[in-house]
Amino acid sequence: MAKRQFQLSAQQVKEFTHAYQNCRDGPTRTRYQAVRLYGAGYPVEEIMDITGCSRTSLMDWCRIYRQDGLSGLVDKRRGGNRAKLQPEQIEELRTRLHQYTPANLFGTTTATADGQFWTVQDLQRAIQQWYGICYQSRSSYLRLFDLCDFSYQRPARTYKSRSEAKILEFEEQLEKKR
């Protein structure tokens, strides 16, 4: 079995401990802890259990630490849907959603039969039309509904091809048979 090349000095362990204790960002803290444990000689499986990281991530973090130091371990991720709409645009969206119904905008091609209530599909089309933006996940649209003071309600399942006249005719025939 090969001997581990990566080892931290006592001073480096102190730096990691100090950085870990003063960090408020969860992913960055996990990286600090994982690299510190690995550099202190803990078994990889134990580190994976403690931190919940994969072996690949652990090795990547150790490599990044050797290249860039502690600052390289800071989480630099930015979510894929982060701030696509500016606060002014969200305010404008709120006004528009309360002013219009999907039927006003899309006519008979709305997600619901009557087009009176906003659905995620209708919101997605409206945002694409008004702002040219498309979010990656459904939860982003649900969050926008929340920001625009809309509550989530599951729409009734109806078929667009449903004819009210035929339904009334069918119900009349049932009444006649009774």
Side-chain angles (χ1 to χ4, degrees):
M1 185 170 191
K3 186 172 186 218
R4 188 177 296 183
Q5 299 281 329
F6 183 77
Q7 292 184 345
L8 296 175
S9 67
Q11 179 61 31
Q12 289 172 316
V13 170
K14 266 185 167 178
E15 288 173 1
F16 268 103
T17 304
H18 179 71
Y20 177 83
Q21 290 171 345
N22 293 319
C23 182
R24 297 280 176 243
D25 181 51
T28 302
R29 285 180 64 127
T30 300
R31 293 172 187 182
Y32 288 159
Q33 183 181 38
V35 174
R36 180 182 60 82
L37 293 173
Y38 186 76
Y42 280 73
V44 172
E45 291 76 22
E46 193 172 334
I47 297 169
M48 290 167 46
D49 269 350
I50 292 170
T51 63
C53 72
S54 67
R55 180 182 183 86
T56 307
S57 294
L58 176 60
M59 295 302 131
D60 285 344
W61 297 337
C62 290
R63 179 186 45 79
I64 290 168
Y65 172 70
R66 278 183 254 143
Q67 289 174 353
D68 303 328
L70 279 173
S71 62
L73 296 175
V74 174
D75 187 21
K76 297 171 189 74
R77 295 177 294 171
R78 295 171 54 137
N81 291 331
R82 186 177 178 278
K84 285 190 176 184
L85 287 177
Q86 300 303 317
E88 312 84 53
Q89 292 174 314
I90 292 174
E91 193 59 41
E92 179 184 355
L93 177 66
R94 175 186 292 131
T95 304
R96 284 179 167 182
L97 291 179
H98 285 285
Q99 185 176 3
Y100 301 109
T101 65
N104 296 135
L105 293 175
F106 308 121
T108 59
T109 62
T110 61
T112 59
D114 60 0
Q116 293 303 308
F117 302 102
W118 285 99
T119 64
V120 170
Q121 293 85 357
D122 290 332
L123 178 62
Q124 185 176 8
R125 284 181 61 194
I127 290 175
Q128 179 68 39
Q129 180 178 320
W130 290 331
Y131 304 104
I133 292 173
C134 184
Y135 285 98
Q136 295 172 2
S137 72
R138 178 181 170 84
S139 62
S140 297
Y141 292 103
L142 295 175
R143 185 174 184 284
L144 280 174
F145 271 137
D146 186 46
L147 290 172
C148 294
D149 300 325
F150 277 80
S151 62
Y152 176 74
Q153 299 192 5
R154 183 167 270 133
R157 293 186 184 260
T158 57
Y159 297 99
K160 289 184 180 182
S161 62
R162 176 179 165 158
S163 168
E164 293 298 324
K166 289 182 180 179
I167 293 171
L168 289 174
E169 183 181 319
F170 176 75
E171 288 175 352
E172 286 176 13
Q173 289 176 0
L174 285 178
E175 288 295 321
K176 288 179 184 177
K177 291 181 181 180
R178 288 186 189 178

PDB file of all heavy atoms in Angstrom, residues 53-75:
ATOM      1  N   CYS A  53     -18.598  13.596   1.484  1.00  0.00           N
ATOM      2  CA  CYS A  53     -18.056  13.878   0.157  1.00  0.00           C
ATOM      3  C   CYS A  53     -17.628  12.573  -0.519  1.00  0.00           C
ATOM      4  O   CYS A  53     -17.511  11.542   0.127  1.00  0.00           O
ATOM      5  CB  CYS A  53     -16.882  14.844   0.252  1.00  0.00           C
ATOM      6  SG  CYS A  53     -15.375  14.124   0.939  1.00  0.00           S
ATOM      7  N   SER A  54     -17.373  12.657  -1.795  1.00  0.00           N
ATOM      8  CA  SER A  54     -16.877  11.498  -2.533  1.00  0.00           C
ATOM      9  C   SER A  54     -15.350  11.508  -2.527  1.00  0.00           C
ATOM     10  O   SER A  54     -14.722  12.535  -2.256  1.00  0.00           O
ATOM     11  CB  SER A  54     -17.381  11.534  -3.970  1.00  0.00           C
ATOM     12  OG  SER A  54     -16.799  12.626  -4.655  1.00  0.00           O
ATOM     13  N   ARG A  55     -14.769  10.388  -2.869  1.00  0.00           N
ATOM     14  CA  ARG A  55     -13.309  10.284  -2.938  1.00  0.00           C
ATOM     15  C   ARG A  55     -12.756  11.257  -3.987  1.00  0.00           C
ATOM     16  O   ARG A  55     -11.763  11.933  -3.773  1.00  0.00           O
ATOM     17  CB  ARG A  55     -12.896   8.850  -3.256  1.00  0.00           C
ATOM     18  CG  ARG A  55     -11.397   8.666  -3.333  1.00  0.00           C
ATOM     19  CD  ARG A  55     -11.028   7.227  -3.707  1.00  0.00           C
ATOM     20  NE  ARG A  55      -9.608   7.057  -3.708  1.00  0.00           N
ATOM     21  CZ  ARG A  55      -8.876   6.767  -2.645  1.00  0.00           C
ATOM     22  NH1 ARG A  55      -9.463   6.597  -1.469  1.00  0.00           N
ATOM     23  NH2 ARG A  55      -7.570   6.650  -2.732  1.00  0.00           N
ATOM     24  N   THR A  56     -13.440  11.331  -5.117  1.00  0.00           N
ATOM     25  CA  THR A  56     -13.007  12.222  -6.192  1.00  0.00           C
ATOM     26  C   THR A  56     -12.988  13.680  -5.726  1.00  0.00           C
ATOM     27  O   THR A  56     -12.019  14.402  -5.972  1.00  0.00           O
ATOM     28  CB  THR A  56     -13.950  12.079  -7.402  1.00  0.00           C
ATOM     29  OG1 THR A  56     -14.031  10.707  -7.756  1.00  0.00           O
ATOM     30  CG2 THR A  56     -13.471  12.888  -8.574  1.00  0.00           C
ATOM     31  N   SER A  57     -14.049  14.102  -5.046  1.00  0.00           N
ATOM     32  CA  SER A  57     -14.100  15.480  -4.544  1.00  0.00           C
ATOM     33  C   SER A  57     -12.979  15.735  -3.547  1.00  0.00           C
ATOM     34  O   SER A  57     -12.316  16.777  -3.600  1.00  0.00           O
ATOM     35  CB  SER A  57     -15.442  15.761  -3.874  1.00  0.00           C
ATOM     36  OG  SER A  57     -16.472  15.728  -4.816  1.00  0.00           O
ATOM     37  N   LEU A  58     -12.769  14.791  -2.658  1.00  0.00           N
ATOM     38  CA  LEU A  58     -11.712  14.933  -1.657  1.00  0.00           C
ATOM     39  C   LEU A  58     -10.350  15.128  -2.326  1.00  0.00           C
ATOM     40  O   LEU A  58      -9.586  16.023  -1.963  1.00  0.00           O
ATOM     41  CB  LEU A  58     -11.683  13.716  -0.729  1.00  0.00           C
ATOM     42  CG  LEU A  58     -10.574  13.686   0.317  1.00  0.00           C
ATOM     43  CD1 LEU A  58     -10.662  14.883   1.256  1.00  0.00           C
ATOM     44  CD2 LEU A  58     -10.637  12.379   1.095  1.00  0.00           C
ATOM     45  N   MET A  59     -10.044  14.302  -3.312  1.00  0.00           N
ATOM     46  CA  MET A  59      -8.753  14.412  -4.004  1.00  0.00           C
ATOM     47  C   MET A  59      -8.651  15.722  -4.775  1.00  0.00           C
ATOM     48  O   MET A  59      -7.590  16.352  -4.817  1.00  0.00           O
ATOM     49  CB  MET A  59      -8.544  13.221  -4.951  1.00  0.00           C
ATOM     50  CG  MET A  59      -8.439  11.890  -4.237  1.00  0.00           C
ATOM     51  SD  MET A  59      -7.086  11.885  -3.053  1.00  0.00           S
ATOM     52  CE  MET A  59      -7.912  11.239  -1.616  1.00  0.00           C
ATOM     53  N   ASP A  60      -9.768  16.150  -5.367  1.00  0.00           N
ATOM     54  CA  ASP A  60      -9.780  17.443  -6.069  1.00  0.00           C
ATOM     55  C   ASP A  60      -9.500  18.581  -5.097  1.00  0.00           C
ATOM     56  O   ASP A  60      -8.730  19.498  -5.402  1.00  0.00           O
ATOM     57  CB  ASP A  60     -11.118  17.681  -6.755  1.00  0.00           C
ATOM     58  CG  ASP A  60     -11.302  16.862  -8.011  1.00  0.00           C
ATOM     59  OD1 ASP A  60     -10.304  16.325  -8.538  1.00  0.00           O
ATOM     60  OD2 ASP A  60     -12.464  16.747  -8.469  1.00  0.00           O
ATOM     61  N   TRP A  61     -10.138  18.542  -3.925  1.00  0.00           N
ATOM     62  CA  TRP A  61      -9.932  19.600  -2.936  1.00  0.00           C
ATOM     63  C   TRP A  61      -8.485  19.631  -2.444  1.00  0.00           C
ATOM     64  O   TRP A  61      -7.924  20.708  -2.243  1.00  0.00           O
ATOM     65  CB  TRP A  61     -10.894  19.431  -1.764  1.00  0.00           C
ATOM     66  CG  TRP A  61     -12.343  19.566  -2.152  1.00  0.00           C
ATOM     67  CD1 TRP A  61     -12.864  20.216  -3.240  1.00  0.00           C
ATOM     68  CD2 TRP A  61     -13.458  19.020  -1.456  1.00  0.00           C
ATOM     69  NE1 TRP A  61     -14.222  20.104  -3.268  1.00  0.00           N
ATOM     70  CE2 TRP A  61     -14.625  19.379  -2.182  1.00  0.00           C
ATOM     71  CE3 TRP A  61     -13.598  18.269  -0.309  1.00  0.00           C
ATOM     72  CZ2 TRP A  61     -15.897  19.017  -1.770  1.00  0.00           C
ATOM     73  CZ3 TRP A  61     -14.874  17.906   0.102  1.00  0.00           C
ATOM     74  CH2 TRP A  61     -16.010  18.278  -0.623  1.00  0.00           C
ATOM     75  N   CYS A  62      -7.897  18.470  -2.266  1.00  0.00           N
ATOM     76  CA  CYS A  62      -6.489  18.423  -1.836  1.00  0.00           C
ATOM     77  C   CYS A  62      -5.582  19.017  -2.910  1.00  0.00           C
ATOM     78  O   CYS A  62      -4.656  19.772  -2.609  1.00  0.00           O
ATOM     79  CB  CYS A  62      -6.066  16.983  -1.516  1.00  0.00           C
ATOM     80  SG  CYS A  62      -6.828  16.346  -0.014  1.00  0.00           S
ATOM     81  N   ARG A  63      -5.860  18.693  -4.163  1.00  0.00           N
ATOM     82  CA  ARG A  63      -5.083  19.250  -5.270  1.00  0.00           C
ATOM     83  C   ARG A  63      -5.248  20.770  -5.333  1.00  0.00           C
ATOM     84  O   ARG A  63      -4.270  21.503  -5.463  1.00  0.00           O
ATOM     85  CB  ARG A  63      -5.536  18.615  -6.594  1.00  0.00           C
ATOM     86  CG  ARG A  63      -4.800  19.135  -7.822  1.00  0.00           C
ATOM     87  CD  ARG A  63      -5.384  18.590  -9.118  1.00  0.00           C
ATOM     88  NE  ARG A  63      -6.836  18.616  -9.202  1.00  0.00           N
ATOM     89  CZ  ARG A  63      -7.564  19.699  -9.478  1.00  0.00           C
ATOM     90  NH1 ARG A  63      -6.989  20.857  -9.662  1.00  0.00           N
ATOM     91  NH2 ARG A  63      -8.890  19.614  -9.539  1.00  0.00           N
ATOM     92  N   ILE A  64      -6.474  21.248  -5.196  1.00  0.00           N
ATOM     93  CA  ILE A  64      -6.744  22.696  -5.217  1.00  0.00           C
ATOM     94  C   ILE A  64      -6.030  23.382  -4.061  1.00  0.00           C
ATOM     95  O   ILE A  64      -5.452  24.459  -4.224  1.00  0.00           O
ATOM     96  CB  ILE A  64      -8.265  22.963  -5.181  1.00  0.00           C
ATOM     97  CG1 ILE A  64      -8.903  22.534  -6.505  1.00  0.00           C
ATOM     98  CG2 ILE A  64      -8.564  24.423  -4.885  1.00  0.00           C
ATOM     99  CD1 ILE A  64     -10.420  22.489  -6.486  1.00  0.00           C
ATOM    100  N   TYR A  65      -6.050  22.757  -2.878  1.00  0.00           N
ATOM    101  CA  TYR A  65      -5.372  23.353  -1.722  1.00  0.00           C
ATOM    102  C   TYR A  65      -3.869  23.474  -1.989  1.00  0.00           C
ATOM    103  O   TYR A  65      -3.254  24.502  -1.680  1.00  0.00           O
ATOM    104  CB  TYR A  65      -5.614  22.529  -0.453  1.00  0.00           C
ATOM    105  CG  TYR A  65      -4.774  23.003   0.705  1.00  0.00           C
ATOM    106  CD1 TYR A  65      -5.033  24.225   1.316  1.00  0.00           C
ATOM    107  CD2 TYR A  65      -3.702  22.256   1.169  1.00  0.00           C
ATOM    108  CE1 TYR A  65      -4.248  24.687   2.364  1.00  0.00           C
ATOM    109  CE2 TYR A  65      -2.915  22.693   2.218  1.00  0.00           C
ATOM    110  CZ  TYR A  65      -3.193  23.920   2.802  1.00  0.00           C
ATOM    111  OH  TYR A  65      -2.409  24.375   3.829  1.00  0.00           O
ATOM    112  N   ARG A  66      -3.262  22.451  -2.574  1.00  0.00           N
ATOM    113  CA  ARG A  66      -1.825  22.507  -2.872  1.00  0.00           C
ATOM    114  C   ARG A  66      -1.520  23.605  -3.879  1.00  0.00           C
ATOM    115  O   ARG A  66      -0.487  24.256  -3.795  1.00  0.00           O
ATOM    116  CB  ARG A  66      -1.337  21.158  -3.395  1.00  0.00           C
ATOM    117  CG  ARG A  66      -1.065  20.189  -2.259  1.00  0.00           C
ATOM    118  CD  ARG A  66      -0.503  18.877  -2.763  1.00  0.00           C
ATOM    119  NE  ARG A  66      -1.595  17.924  -2.651  1.00  0.00           N
ATOM    120  CZ  ARG A  66      -1.872  16.957  -3.487  1.00  0.00           C
ATOM    121  NH1 ARG A  66      -1.112  16.729  -4.511  1.00  0.00           N
ATOM    122  NH2 ARG A  66      -2.901  16.170  -3.293  1.00  0.00           N
ATOM    123  N   GLN A  67      -2.427  23.859  -4.807  1.00  0.00           N
ATOM    124  CA  GLN A  67      -2.210  24.876  -5.831  1.00  0.00           C
ATOM    125  C   GLN A  67      -2.502  26.285  -5.331  1.00  0.00           C
ATOM    126  O   GLN A  67      -1.725  27.202  -5.547  1.00  0.00           O
ATOM    127  CB  GLN A  67      -3.098  24.617  -7.053  1.00  0.00           C
ATOM    128  CG  GLN A  67      -2.697  23.430  -7.864  1.00  0.00           C
ATOM    129  CD  GLN A  67      -3.703  23.147  -8.978  1.00  0.00           C
ATOM    130  OE1 GLN A  67      -4.760  23.771  -9.066  1.00  0.00           O
ATOM    131  NE2 GLN A  67      -3.371  22.185  -9.819  1.00  0.00           N
ATOM    132  N   ASP A  68      -3.660  26.456  -4.655  1.00  0.00           N
ATOM    133  CA  ASP A  68      -4.153  27.805  -4.333  1.00  0.00           C
ATOM    134  C   ASP A  68      -4.254  28.115  -2.854  1.00  0.00           C
ATOM    135  O   ASP A  68      -4.663  29.229  -2.493  1.00  0.00           O
ATOM    136  CB  ASP A  68      -5.545  27.998  -4.961  1.00  0.00           C
ATOM    137  CG  ASP A  68      -5.541  27.775  -6.462  1.00  0.00           C
ATOM    138  OD1 ASP A  68      -4.506  28.067  -7.097  1.00  0.00           O
ATOM    139  OD2 ASP A  68      -6.568  27.305  -7.004  1.00  0.00           O
ATOM    140  N   GLY A  69      -3.983  27.162  -1.989  1.00  0.00           N
ATOM    141  CA  GLY A  69      -4.102  27.397  -0.555  1.00  0.00           C
ATOM    142  C   GLY A  69      -5.547  27.379  -0.097  1.00  0.00           C
ATOM    143  O   GLY A  69      -6.443  26.927  -0.810  1.00  0.00           O
ATOM    144  N   LEU A  70      -5.768  27.908   1.095  1.00  0.00           N
ATOM    145  CA  LEU A  70      -7.122  27.913   1.675  1.00  0.00           C
ATOM    146  C   LEU A  70      -8.125  28.664   0.807  1.00  0.00           C
ATOM    147  O   LEU A  70      -9.283  28.257   0.702  1.00  0.00           O
ATOM    148  CB  LEU A  70      -7.095  28.551   3.067  1.00  0.00           C
ATOM    149  CG  LEU A  70      -6.635  27.670   4.215  1.00  0.00           C
ATOM    150  CD1 LEU A  70      -6.508  28.492   5.494  1.00  0.00           C
ATOM    151  CD2 LEU A  70      -7.590  26.525   4.429  1.00  0.00           C
ATOM    152  N   SER A  71      -7.709  29.743   0.187  1.00  0.00           N
ATOM    153  CA  SER A  71      -8.639  30.545  -0.615  1.00  0.00           C
ATOM    154  C   SER A  71      -9.187  29.753  -1.802  1.00  0.00           C
ATOM    155  O   SER A  71     -10.288  30.030  -2.294  1.00  0.00           O
ATOM    156  CB  SER A  71      -7.971  31.821  -1.101  1.00  0.00           C
ATOM    157  OG  SER A  71      -6.873  31.499  -1.939  1.00  0.00           O
ATOM    158  N   GLY A  72      -8.453  28.760  -2.272  1.00  0.00           N
ATOM    159  CA  GLY A  72      -8.925  27.937  -3.376  1.00  0.00           C
ATOM    160  C   GLY A  72     -10.083  27.040  -3.000  1.00  0.00           C
ATOM    161  O   GLY A  72     -10.818  26.578  -3.866  1.00  0.00           O
ATOM    162  N   LEU A  73     -10.255  26.783  -1.700  1.00  0.00           N
ATOM    163  CA  LEU A  73     -11.334  25.890  -1.248  1.00  0.00           C
ATOM    164  C   LEU A  73     -12.660  26.605  -1.034  1.00  0.00           C
ATOM    165  O   LEU A  73     -13.675  25.960  -0.787  1.00  0.00           O
ATOM    166  CB  LEU A  73     -10.908  25.190   0.051  1.00  0.00           C
ATOM    167  CG  LEU A  73      -9.707  24.248  -0.079  1.00  0.00           C
ATOM    168  CD1 LEU A  73      -9.308  23.722   1.295  1.00  0.00           C
ATOM    169  CD2 LEU A  73     -10.009  23.113  -1.022  1.00  0.00           C
ATOM    170  N   VAL A  74     -12.664  27.918  -1.138  1.00  0.00           N
ATOM    171  CA  VAL A  74     -13.904  28.674  -0.956  1.00  0.00           C
ATOM    172  C   VAL A  74     -14.878  28.316  -2.073  1.00  0.00           C
ATOM    173  O   VAL A  74     -14.507  28.233  -3.249  1.00  0.00           O
ATOM    174  CB  VAL A  74     -13.612  30.192  -0.960  1.00  0.00           C
ATOM    175  CG1 VAL A  74     -14.906  30.999  -0.918  1.00  0.00           C
ATOM    176  CG2 VAL A  74     -12.725  30.556   0.211  1.00  0.00           C
ATOM    177  N   ASP A  75     -16.139  28.077  -1.709  1.00  0.00           N
ATOM    178  CA  ASP A  75     -17.172  27.684  -2.662  1.00  0.00           C
ATOM    179  C   ASP A  75     -17.484  28.858  -3.587  1.00  0.00           C
ATOM    180  O   ASP A  75     -17.923  29.910  -3.145  1.00  0.00           O
ATOM    181  CB  ASP A  75     -18.427  27.252  -1.901  1.00  0.00           C
ATOM    182  CG  ASP A  75     -19.483  26.666  -2.809  1.00  0.00           C
ATOM    183  OD1 ASP A  75     -19.133  26.217  -3.917  1.00  0.00           O
ATOM    184  OD2 ASP A  75     -20.654  26.634  -2.399  1.00  0.00           O
TER     185      ASP A  75
END
